[in-house]
Amino acid sequence: MVKMSNLPDDQGEGRAVTGAEGEVTAQPADQPTGQAGDRSQERPAEQAPASEVAAETPRERARLVFASFLMLFVELALIRWVTANNVFVTKATNFVLLASFLGIGIGFLNAKTKRDYLRWTPVALLLLVSFVLAFPVILATLQGPNPFQGLHGSPALPQPVFLLVTGVMAGLGQGTARLFVRFRPLRAYRLDILGSLAGIAAFTGLSFLDQPPGTWGVIACAGLLVLLAPKIRWWQVLAVASVAAMLLLESFLPAQEWSPYNKLVYNQTHGPTGALYVSANNIPYQAARSLALMHKQKAFYFYPYRHVPKASLGNVLIIGSGTGNDAAVALSEGARHVDTVEIDPLLVKLGNMHPNHPYSSPRLTAHIDDGRAFLQDTTQHYNLILFALPDSLTALAGQSGIRLESYLLTEQSIEAVRSHLAPGGTFAMYNYYAPFLESRYASTIEDAFGRTPCAEVGPPLGGRRLAVLTVHPGGTVPNCASFYHGKRISPATDDHPFPYMPGNNIPKQYLWMIAAIFAASLLLVRVGGGSFSRMRNYVDLAFMGAAFLLLETKNIVQFALLFGTTWLVNSLVFAGVLLAVYLAVETASHLRLPRPAVLYAALIASLVLTWVVPQASLVGLPIVARFFAGSALAFAPIYLANLIFAQRFADVATSGDAFAANLLGAMVGGVLEYLALITGYRFLLIVIAVLYGLAFVTSRYLTRKQSGGMTSAGVQAPVGVR
């Protein structure tokens, strides 16, 4: 029960033992004898009701693993699928993530209540899928006051997606929570991690096979019926079958493909003006045209070649090659060899339908990779390097503000480009830029090359204008009619990789969205989860949840920089985080841990080390050394943070409420993630350290408060038992 990208914090395990007065107290399970007593003054010693550890049969263990698998699988699928059908969500994919956390938290708060959200989950899922398919949000045009539309040109409706996702995940969360609280806490968490690993593995495998939503839907719907068994009602089966049918119908629409990044819809026209038109996630994206038509239209694809003598056009690198227009032009201009880099494999597949078939040329090698990662790992030098319309329109899954190409457009990336130019080589980048973007990229080129770029400006398009920026590090760009002479805007950097943000601030629409989410969350938790006072003994776990989500976010974006923003890298990072969590749980189960103060000190020290080691020093390492150094810096804090959580969670009285507090804290961390738009990602380490410091202080306060609740016999009185 972890997010696509963000795992709930570490948790511990408890064994019920009977005190002198007959009360049930908590003692860590799978720990050396006497460990609980040694740490009794360092953590809240809460009573664990016997009902929470009543059943740990192999069948119940398998059910909990399956429930955790299903919950994470559905969360990943919803993040991926809703984004593909709703343009509003593409700019903030953690919108669905936050709704998932909220829903799961509400579900855990209802682990033992009479409310039955799981029963209504098929209906909630049917409402969500029906609404998204019936009322999608489509970017129909870049011009005019109403660019967003629904089906058949209808206005785009207000989207209750947040509430619907919350409803679906609340049911799945409650179904998992009902099983979770029947185990000793640490064992429950261990089984949850195993299920989550299975969920990531399954979704990764389906992505590798380019499976569409119909496959995801069949797995999710079948799993939901298993979770509902044996008390399945006919209307639940009907709702689940309807969901699967709708997703299967969507998956097999003609001229539509699903890649790990995009829903690609294409249309090929023929004749003199024929072209292959492709939209991605309901956004008009690419048009593959013939060379004859591009010559007739005097397309900008030819602009960079005005400044490169054909005699010196040997090796060409095209990053963002898409369906093949730039590759066709490079080959026609006489390039001896062309390397193309495209992150989406299905775009290259569709490129085989290009009128000139550039991907079939023996002079071309196609690379399916992240552009920045390719630059970091190649040893080749090029006479011409092109950034060809590198605008994925796709956010890095689960992260606010980061797109697939964000690290390609930083100052450090342009410096890497310069190091891969052959003597006399040329660099060019082009796109339809908002005015501030043209200024930002021109400033970036000037800083990286020490020269003012040639700027050729073309026709406007919806508030943007075509601009081709070209630079020749060995001297003035030949045949340049106009050099850039506009204002300067600071470049994006590897620490602040937000080229599309005009300034270092949080846009107003984000602030309104955050405020609305907070208000809705408070209301939904109060109405759907009960009194907030049930979580008052777990405030420290909420701080840990917020800190851990930020820690994971920092590591995800760091690995995106070091190894690329590909779906496979992201999946491996998520799995690596889960494995680090699982290792911490196993350590807490079998070894005697130091006092909490020692673990907190070690965690803060690891954060300090991560702050001190320059990120640039890792980027420049060979790939094997980069992997080990990056993994050590990323996973050491995660491991230590989970040791702390396991030690704390071992003694909770009500594991459902404790886990809910942790999840809702993680939701707050998802909101705090937007601070990176102001400060950059490195500063998040300070926020993480502060949050863990607050967790330590509140944990000590709860310890002192609860130590006053001891009976005269020296056995703790019941705490939090309803």
PDB file of all heavy atoms in Angstrom, residues 38-65:
ATOM      1  N   ASP A  38      14.420  -2.615  27.430  1.00  0.00           N
ATOM      2  CA  ASP A  38      15.564  -1.720  27.294  1.00  0.00           C
ATOM      3  C   ASP A  38      15.177  -0.410  26.657  1.00  0.00           C
ATOM      4  O   ASP A  38      15.814   0.601  26.865  1.00  0.00           O
ATOM      5  CB  ASP A  38      16.645  -2.398  26.428  1.00  0.00           C
ATOM      6  CG  ASP A  38      17.248  -3.601  27.134  1.00  0.00           C
ATOM      7  OD1 ASP A  38      17.107  -3.666  28.376  1.00  0.00           O
ATOM      8  OD2 ASP A  38      17.835  -4.454  26.446  1.00  0.00           O
ATOM      9  N   ARG A  39      14.111  -0.397  25.844  1.00  0.00           N
ATOM     10  CA  ARG A  39      13.739   0.818  25.139  1.00  0.00           C
ATOM     11  C   ARG A  39      12.468   1.431  25.691  1.00  0.00           C
ATOM     12  O   ARG A  39      11.877   2.298  25.070  1.00  0.00           O
ATOM     13  CB  ARG A  39      13.562   0.519  23.641  1.00  0.00           C
ATOM     14  CG  ARG A  39      14.859   0.175  22.946  1.00  0.00           C
ATOM     15  CD  ARG A  39      14.658  -0.023  21.459  1.00  0.00           C
ATOM     16  NE  ARG A  39      14.072  -1.319  21.184  1.00  0.00           N
ATOM     17  CZ  ARG A  39      12.964  -1.488  20.492  1.00  0.00           C
ATOM     18  NH1 ARG A  39      12.315  -0.480  20.026  1.00  0.00           N
ATOM     19  NH2 ARG A  39      12.484  -2.694  20.264  1.00  0.00           N
ATOM     20  N   SER A  40      12.018   0.979  26.839  1.00  0.00           N
ATOM     21  CA  SER A  40      10.720   1.423  27.335  1.00  0.00           C
ATOM     22  C   SER A  40      10.677   2.892  27.654  1.00  0.00           C
ATOM     23  O   SER A  40       9.622   3.495  27.668  1.00  0.00           O
ATOM     24  CB  SER A  40      10.343   0.613  28.582  1.00  0.00           C
ATOM     25  OG  SER A  40      11.304   0.839  29.614  1.00  0.00           O
ATOM     26  N   GLN A  41      11.825   3.503  27.932  1.00  0.00           N
ATOM     27  CA  GLN A  41      11.832   4.923  28.245  1.00  0.00           C
ATOM     28  C   GLN A  41      12.062   5.787  27.017  1.00  0.00           C
ATOM     29  O   GLN A  41      12.136   6.998  27.116  1.00  0.00           O
ATOM     30  CB  GLN A  41      12.941   5.206  29.292  1.00  0.00           C
ATOM     31  CG  GLN A  41      12.754   4.455  30.601  1.00  0.00           C
ATOM     32  CD  GLN A  41      11.417   4.743  31.240  1.00  0.00           C
ATOM     33  OE1 GLN A  41      11.006   5.902  31.312  1.00  0.00           O
ATOM     34  NE2 GLN A  41      10.727   3.710  31.680  1.00  0.00           N
ATOM     35  N   GLU A  42      12.214   5.157  25.844  1.00  0.00           N
ATOM     36  CA  GLU A  42      12.555   5.911  24.647  1.00  0.00           C
ATOM     37  C   GLU A  42      11.409   6.035  23.663  1.00  0.00           C
ATOM     38  O   GLU A  42      11.494   6.724  22.691  1.00  0.00           O
ATOM     39  CB  GLU A  42      13.742   5.234  23.930  1.00  0.00           C
ATOM     40  CG  GLU A  42      15.024   5.270  24.736  1.00  0.00           C
ATOM     41  CD  GLU A  42      15.552   6.674  24.899  1.00  0.00           C
ATOM     42  OE1 GLU A  42      15.241   7.525  24.054  1.00  0.00           O
ATOM     43  OE2 GLU A  42      16.263   6.924  25.865  1.00  0.00           O
ATOM     44  N   ARG A  43      10.307   5.329  23.871  1.00  0.00           N
ATOM     45  CA  ARG A  43       9.231   5.356  22.897  1.00  0.00           C
ATOM     46  C   ARG A  43       7.909   5.155  23.592  1.00  0.00           C
ATOM     47  O   ARG A  43       7.853   4.593  24.682  1.00  0.00           O
ATOM     48  CB  ARG A  43       9.433   4.275  21.842  1.00  0.00           C
ATOM     49  CG  ARG A  43       9.477   2.900  22.456  1.00  0.00           C
ATOM     50  CD  ARG A  43       9.837   1.850  21.417  1.00  0.00           C
ATOM     51  NE  ARG A  43       9.838   0.547  22.045  1.00  0.00           N
ATOM     52  CZ  ARG A  43      10.157  -0.562  21.431  1.00  0.00           C
ATOM     53  NH1 ARG A  43      10.525  -0.510  20.179  1.00  0.00           N
ATOM     54  NH2 ARG A  43      10.126  -1.715  22.033  1.00  0.00           N
ATOM     55  N   PRO A  44       6.830   5.557  23.010  1.00  0.00           N
ATOM     56  CA  PRO A  44       5.529   5.355  23.625  1.00  0.00           C
ATOM     57  C   PRO A  44       5.238   3.875  23.777  1.00  0.00           C
ATOM     58  O   PRO A  44       5.255   3.127  22.812  1.00  0.00           O
ATOM     59  CB  PRO A  44       4.558   6.006  22.633  1.00  0.00           C
ATOM     60  CG  PRO A  44       5.397   6.943  21.846  1.00  0.00           C
ATOM     61  CD  PRO A  44       6.753   6.303  21.777  1.00  0.00           C
ATOM     62  N   ALA A  45       4.976   3.447  24.987  1.00  0.00           N
ATOM     63  CA  ALA A  45       4.665   2.039  25.236  1.00  0.00           C
ATOM     64  C   ALA A  45       3.161   1.895  25.323  1.00  0.00           C
ATOM     65  O   ALA A  45       2.558   2.040  26.373  1.00  0.00           O
ATOM     66  CB  ALA A  45       5.323   1.576  26.523  1.00  0.00           C
ATOM     67  N   GLU A  46       2.527   1.650  24.186  1.00  0.00           N
ATOM     68  CA  GLU A  46       1.080   1.609  24.136  1.00  0.00           C
ATOM     69  C   GLU A  46       0.587   0.172  24.221  1.00  0.00           C
ATOM     70  O   GLU A  46       1.296  -0.772  23.897  1.00  0.00           O
ATOM     71  CB  GLU A  46       0.595   2.248  22.836  1.00  0.00           C
ATOM     72  CG  GLU A  46       1.076   3.685  22.701  1.00  0.00           C
ATOM     73  CD  GLU A  46       0.784   4.228  21.333  1.00  0.00           C
ATOM     74  OE1 GLU A  46       0.108   3.547  20.559  1.00  0.00           O
ATOM     75  OE2 GLU A  46       1.224   5.337  21.046  1.00  0.00           O
ATOM     76  N   GLN A  47      -0.646   0.040  24.633  1.00  0.00           N
ATOM     77  CA  GLN A  47      -1.213  -1.292  24.758  1.00  0.00           C
ATOM     78  C   GLN A  47      -1.688  -1.806  23.412  1.00  0.00           C
ATOM     79  O   GLN A  47      -2.278  -1.081  22.635  1.00  0.00           O
ATOM     80  CB  GLN A  47      -2.387  -1.255  25.735  1.00  0.00           C
ATOM     81  CG  GLN A  47      -3.037  -2.616  25.922  1.00  0.00           C
ATOM     82  CD  GLN A  47      -4.147  -2.530  26.934  1.00  0.00           C
ATOM     83  OE1 GLN A  47      -4.390  -1.452  27.468  1.00  0.00           O
ATOM     84  NE2 GLN A  47      -4.798  -3.621  27.197  1.00  0.00           N
ATOM     85  N   ALA A  48      -1.429  -3.038  23.113  1.00  0.00           N
ATOM     86  CA  ALA A  48      -1.872  -3.671  21.873  1.00  0.00           C
ATOM     87  C   ALA A  48      -3.025  -4.598  22.156  1.00  0.00           C
ATOM     88  O   ALA A  48      -2.872  -5.600  22.823  1.00  0.00           O
ATOM     89  CB  ALA A  48      -0.721  -4.449  21.241  1.00  0.00           C
ATOM     90  N   PRO A  49      -4.213  -4.265  21.696  1.00  0.00           N
ATOM     91  CA  PRO A  49      -5.356  -5.123  21.939  1.00  0.00           C
ATOM     92  C   PRO A  49      -5.149  -6.506  21.351  1.00  0.00           C
ATOM     93  O   PRO A  49      -4.618  -6.653  20.257  1.00  0.00           O
ATOM     94  CB  PRO A  49      -6.510  -4.391  21.241  1.00  0.00           C
ATOM     95  CG  PRO A  49      -6.042  -2.988  21.115  1.00  0.00           C
ATOM     96  CD  PRO A  49      -4.573  -3.058  20.978  1.00  0.00           C
ATOM     97  N   ALA A  50      -5.602  -7.500  22.069  1.00  0.00           N
ATOM     98  CA  ALA A  50      -5.403  -8.875  21.603  1.00  0.00           C
ATOM     99  C   ALA A  50      -6.094  -9.134  20.286  1.00  0.00           C
ATOM    100  O   ALA A  50      -5.671  -9.959  19.498  1.00  0.00           O
ATOM    101  CB  ALA A  50      -5.903  -9.849  22.669  1.00  0.00           C
ATOM    102  N   SER A  51      -7.179  -8.397  20.013  1.00  0.00           N
ATOM    103  CA  SER A  51      -7.920  -8.629  18.775  1.00  0.00           C
ATOM    104  C   SER A  51      -7.100  -8.317  17.551  1.00  0.00           C
ATOM    105  O   SER A  51      -7.380  -8.805  16.466  1.00  0.00           O
ATOM    106  CB  SER A  51      -9.203  -7.780  18.769  1.00  0.00           C
ATOM    107  OG  SER A  51      -8.874  -6.410  18.827  1.00  0.00           O
ATOM    108  N   GLU A  52      -6.056  -7.479  17.706  1.00  0.00           N
ATOM    109  CA  GLU A  52      -5.253  -7.110  16.545  1.00  0.00           C
ATOM    110  C   GLU A  52      -4.276  -8.203  16.153  1.00  0.00           C
ATOM    111  O   GLU A  52      -3.653  -8.140  15.107  1.00  0.00           O
ATOM    112  CB  GLU A  52      -4.490  -5.819  16.834  1.00  0.00           C
ATOM    113  CG  GLU A  52      -5.388  -4.612  16.910  1.00  0.00           C
ATOM    114  CD  GLU A  52      -4.630  -3.343  16.687  1.00  0.00           C
ATOM    115  OE1 GLU A  52      -3.431  -3.426  16.421  1.00  0.00           O
ATOM    116  OE2 GLU A  52      -5.234  -2.279  16.763  1.00  0.00           O
ATOM    117  N   VAL A  53      -4.072  -9.178  17.009  1.00  0.00           N
ATOM    118  CA  VAL A  53      -3.097 -10.211  16.700  1.00  0.00           C
ATOM    119  C   VAL A  53      -3.753 -11.592  16.797  1.00  0.00           C
ATOM    120  O   VAL A  53      -3.153 -12.562  17.209  1.00  0.00           O
ATOM    121  CB  VAL A  53      -1.893 -10.113  17.659  1.00  0.00           C
ATOM    122  CG1 VAL A  53      -1.122  -8.853  17.410  1.00  0.00           C
ATOM    123  CG2 VAL A  53      -2.337 -10.159  19.127  1.00  0.00           C
ATOM    124  N   ALA A  54      -5.024 -11.631  16.418  1.00  0.00           N
ATOM    125  CA  ALA A  54      -5.782 -12.851  16.638  1.00  0.00           C
ATOM    126  C   ALA A  54      -5.577 -13.895  15.553  1.00  0.00           C
ATOM    127  O   ALA A  54      -5.733 -15.079  15.811  1.00  0.00           O
ATOM    128  CB  ALA A  54      -7.268 -12.517  16.755  1.00  0.00           C
ATOM    129  N   ALA A  55      -5.272 -13.490  14.350  1.00  0.00           N
ATOM    130  CA  ALA A  55      -5.233 -14.462  13.255  1.00  0.00           C
ATOM    131  C   ALA A  55      -4.026 -14.221  12.381  1.00  0.00           C
ATOM    132  O   ALA A  55      -3.900 -13.163  11.785  1.00  0.00           O
ATOM    133  CB  ALA A  55      -6.515 -14.363  12.427  1.00  0.00           C
ATOM    134  N   GLU A  56      -3.138 -15.212  12.280  1.00  0.00           N
ATOM    135  CA  GLU A  56      -1.980 -15.108  11.394  1.00  0.00           C
ATOM    136  C   GLU A  56      -1.785 -16.423  10.660  1.00  0.00           C
ATOM    137  O   GLU A  56      -0.683 -16.949  10.573  1.00  0.00           O
ATOM    138  CB  GLU A  56      -0.729 -14.730  12.192  1.00  0.00           C
ATOM    139  CG  GLU A  56      -0.796 -13.358  12.820  1.00  0.00           C
ATOM    140  CD  GLU A  56       0.541 -12.891  13.368  1.00  0.00           C
ATOM    141  OE1 GLU A  56       1.564 -13.454  12.966  1.00  0.00           O
ATOM    142  OE2 GLU A  56       0.546 -11.963  14.176  1.00  0.00           O
ATOM    143  N   THR A  57      -2.861 -16.963  10.135  1.00  0.00           N
ATOM    144  CA  THR A  57      -2.791 -18.216   9.399  1.00  0.00           C
ATOM    145  C   THR A  57      -2.184 -17.975   8.026  1.00  0.00           C
ATOM    146  O   THR A  57      -2.185 -16.846   7.515  1.00  0.00           O
ATOM    147  CB  THR A  57      -4.196 -18.812   9.230  1.00  0.00           C
ATOM    148  OG1 THR A  57      -4.974 -17.926   8.410  1.00  0.00           O
ATOM    149  CG2 THR A  57      -4.875 -18.987  10.581  1.00  0.00           C
ATOM    150  N   PRO A  58      -1.644 -19.016   7.390  1.00  0.00           N
ATOM    151  CA  PRO A  58      -1.101 -18.848   6.030  1.00  0.00           C
ATOM    152  C   PRO A  58      -2.121 -18.251   5.059  1.00  0.00           C
ATOM    153  O   PRO A  58      -1.770 -17.442   4.199  1.00  0.00           O
ATOM    154  CB  PRO A  58      -0.705 -20.278   5.646  1.00  0.00           C
ATOM    155  CG  PRO A  58      -0.420 -20.949   6.948  1.00  0.00           C
ATOM    156  CD  PRO A  58      -1.403 -20.365   7.921  1.00  0.00           C
ATOM    157  N   ARG A  59      -3.386 -18.648   5.218  1.00  0.00           N
ATOM    158  CA  ARG A  59      -4.414 -18.106   4.325  1.00  0.00           C
ATOM    159  C   ARG A  59      -4.586 -16.612   4.533  1.00  0.00           C
ATOM    160  O   ARG A  59      -4.703 -15.846   3.572  1.00  0.00           O
ATOM    161  CB  ARG A  59      -5.740 -18.825   4.575  1.00  0.00           C
ATOM    162  CG  ARG A  59      -6.877 -18.365   3.660  1.00  0.00           C
ATOM    163  CD  ARG A  59      -8.129 -19.204   3.886  1.00  0.00           C
ATOM    164  NE  ARG A  59      -9.206 -18.787   3.012  1.00  0.00           N
ATOM    165  CZ  ARG A  59     -10.055 -17.783   3.284  1.00  0.00           C
ATOM    166  NH1 ARG A  59      -9.933 -17.106   4.428  1.00  0.00           N
ATOM    167  NH2 ARG A  59     -11.008 -17.465   2.433  1.00  0.00           N
ATOM    168  N   GLU A  60      -4.589 -16.168   5.794  1.00  0.00           N
ATOM    169  CA  GLU A  60      -4.739 -14.748   6.076  1.00  0.00           C
ATOM    170  C   GLU A  60      -3.507 -13.969   5.616  1.00  0.00           C
ATOM    171  O   GLU A  60      -3.621 -12.839   5.132  1.00  0.00           O
ATOM    172  CB  GLU A  60      -4.981 -14.537   7.573  1.00  0.00           C
ATOM    173  CG  GLU A  60      -6.331 -15.049   8.053  1.00  0.00           C
ATOM    174  CD  GLU A  60      -7.474 -14.355   7.327  1.00  0.00           C
ATOM    175  OE1 GLU A  60      -7.582 -13.115   7.412  1.00  0.00           O
ATOM    176  OE2 GLU A  60      -8.255 -15.052   6.655  1.00  0.00           O
ATOM    177  N   ARG A  61      -2.343 -14.560   5.749  1.00  0.00           N
ATOM    178  CA  ARG A  61      -1.126 -13.889   5.256  1.00  0.00           C
ATOM    179  C   ARG A  61      -1.209 -13.689   3.741  1.00  0.00           C
ATOM    180  O   ARG A  61      -0.864 -12.624   3.225  1.00  0.00           O
ATOM    181  CB  ARG A  61       0.108 -14.696   5.636  1.00  0.00           C
ATOM    182  CG  ARG A  61       0.454 -14.635   7.107  1.00  0.00           C
ATOM    183  CD  ARG A  61       1.876 -15.106   7.359  1.00  0.00           C
ATOM    184  NE  ARG A  61       2.031 -16.532   7.149  1.00  0.00           N
ATOM    185  CZ  ARG A  61       1.885 -17.456   8.093  1.00  0.00           C
ATOM    186  NH1 ARG A  61       1.557 -17.085   9.334  1.00  0.00           N
ATOM    187  NH2 ARG A  61       2.050 -18.733   7.822  1.00  0.00           N
ATOM    188  N   ALA A  62      -1.649 -14.722   3.044  1.00  0.00           N
ATOM    189  CA  ALA A  62      -1.772 -14.616   1.587  1.00  0.00           C
ATOM    190  C   ALA A  62      -2.799 -13.556   1.202  1.00  0.00           C
ATOM    191  O   ALA A  62      -2.608 -12.809   0.234  1.00  0.00           O
ATOM    192  CB  ALA A  62      -2.159 -15.972   0.999  1.00  0.00           C
ATOM    193  N   ARG A  63      -3.891 -13.463   1.956  1.00  0.00           N
ATOM    194  CA  ARG A  63      -4.914 -12.463   1.656  1.00  0.00           C
ATOM    195  C   ARG A  63      -4.385 -11.047   1.855  1.00  0.00           C
ATOM    196  O   ARG A  63      -4.693 -10.149   1.068  1.00  0.00           O
ATOM    197  CB  ARG A  63      -6.151 -12.695   2.527  1.00  0.00           C
ATOM    198  CG  ARG A  63      -7.019 -13.852   2.062  1.00  0.00           C
ATOM    199  CD  ARG A  63      -8.237 -14.045   2.964  1.00  0.00           C
ATOM    200  NE  ARG A  63      -9.101 -12.877   2.948  1.00  0.00           N
ATOM    201  CZ  ARG A  63     -10.011 -12.611   2.023  1.00  0.00           C
ATOM    202  NH1 ARG A  63     -10.169 -13.435   0.997  1.00  0.00           N
ATOM    203  NH2 ARG A  63     -10.778 -11.537   2.105  1.00  0.00           N
ATOM    204  N   LEU A  64      -3.581 -10.835   2.891  1.00  0.00           N
ATOM    205  CA  LEU A  64      -3.023  -9.500   3.116  1.00  0.00           C
ATOM    206  C   LEU A  64      -2.026  -9.135   2.025  1.00  0.00           C
ATOM    207  O   LEU A  64      -2.022  -8.007   1.524  1.00  0.00           O
ATOM    208  CB  LEU A  64      -2.364  -9.423   4.491  1.00  0.00           C
ATOM    209  CG  LEU A  64      -1.690  -8.085   4.830  1.00  0.00           C
ATOM    210  CD1 LEU A  64      -2.662  -6.914   4.657  1.00  0.00           C
ATOM    211  CD2 LEU A  64      -1.136  -8.107   6.248  1.00  0.00           C
ATOM    212  N   VAL A  65      -1.177 -10.082   1.638  1.00  0.00           N
ATOM    213  CA  VAL A  65      -0.244  -9.820   0.537  1.00  0.00           C
ATOM    214  C   VAL A  65      -1.018  -9.465  -0.729  1.00  0.00           C
ATOM    215  O   VAL A  65      -0.683  -8.507  -1.448  1.00  0.00           O
ATOM    216  CB  VAL A  65       0.670 -11.039   0.293  1.00  0.00           C
ATOM    217  CG1 VAL A  65       1.462 -10.864  -1.003  1.00  0.00           C
ATOM    218  CG2 VAL A  65       1.626 -11.232   1.460  1.00  0.00           C
TER     219      VAL A  65
END
